[in-house]
Amino acid sequence: MRGLLPLAALALGACSSEPVNQTADLPETAPPVSKPEPAPSVTPAPAPEPARYIGRWAANAGLCKDGAWRFEEMDLSTAGEVSCDFHRLANVPGGYDAAATCFAEDEQSEDVVKLRFPAGGGMRVESKIFQPITLIRCGTEKER
């Protein structure tokens, strides 16, 4: 019976007539709900600069008017009867390598056109179809 006495005291304490504040441990106001952070502003990437070789090039300034080679993003044509369609470009140290199909005098061949920019200026062009040649950029309206 002695073992039941402490339990009875506990039961009587639980039945106390004092109201129990069930929210005593809760804060009076809930913490403010945090607003989601705004998405960072996305700055559009700058448009890539055109490839360095694009434009009109000639062996010398006197040929810019009627003897210039025309380089576009994916092809080239000379003042003569040679043209190449680029299939794939690779950035390499000093310039570009262009896997190409070239046409010359009714002949078609697969080639790699190497375009390099030497320290002295100009653009060096070399492939199976072209003897190595250094071209200068034709830049003024008069030369075009």
Side-chain angles (χ1 to χ4, degrees):
M1 198 97 159
R2 282 188 175 183
L4 292 178
L5 192 56
L7 285 176
L10 271 175
L12 282 175
C15 294
S16 163
S17 62
E18 281 187 38
V20 176
N21 184 354
Q22 295 179 353
T23 61
D25 294 337
L26 298 177
E28 286 190 26
T29 60
V33 175
S34 62
K35 294 180 182 175
E37 292 289 322
S41 63
V42 177
T43 304
E49 289 188 32
R52 190 173 175 186
Y53 61 86
I54 294 175
R56 292 171 37 87
W57 298 79
N60 61 58
L63 292 173
C64 281
K65 182 167 174 108
D66 296 321
W69 297 25
R70 182 177 304 276
F71 287 82
E72 298 195 21
E73 185 174 0
M74 295 304 287
D75 63 359
L76 81 87
S77 57
T78 68
E81 294 185 23
V82 179
S83 65
C84 296
D85 295 328
F86 298 161
H87 306 295
R88 191 173 52 261
L89 288 168
N91 286 315
V92 296
Y96 305 89
D97 282 349
T101 301
C102 294
F103 306 90
E105 299 176 7
D106 297 325
E107 296 290 322
Q108 176 180 331
S109 65
E110 297 303 310
D111 205 344
V112 174
V113 179
K114 296 178 180 188
L115 308 172
R116 300 295 187 270
F117 300 90
M123 176 173 64
R124 185 156 180 85
V125 180
E126 185 177 347
S127 73
K128 291 187 295 186
I129 200 166
F130 300 114
Q131 293 291 325
I133 185 171
T134 299
L135 304 173
I136 61 167
R137 185 178 290 278
C138 298
T140 67
E141 286 300 316
K142 196 186 308 181
E143 295 169 332
R144 293 178 185 200

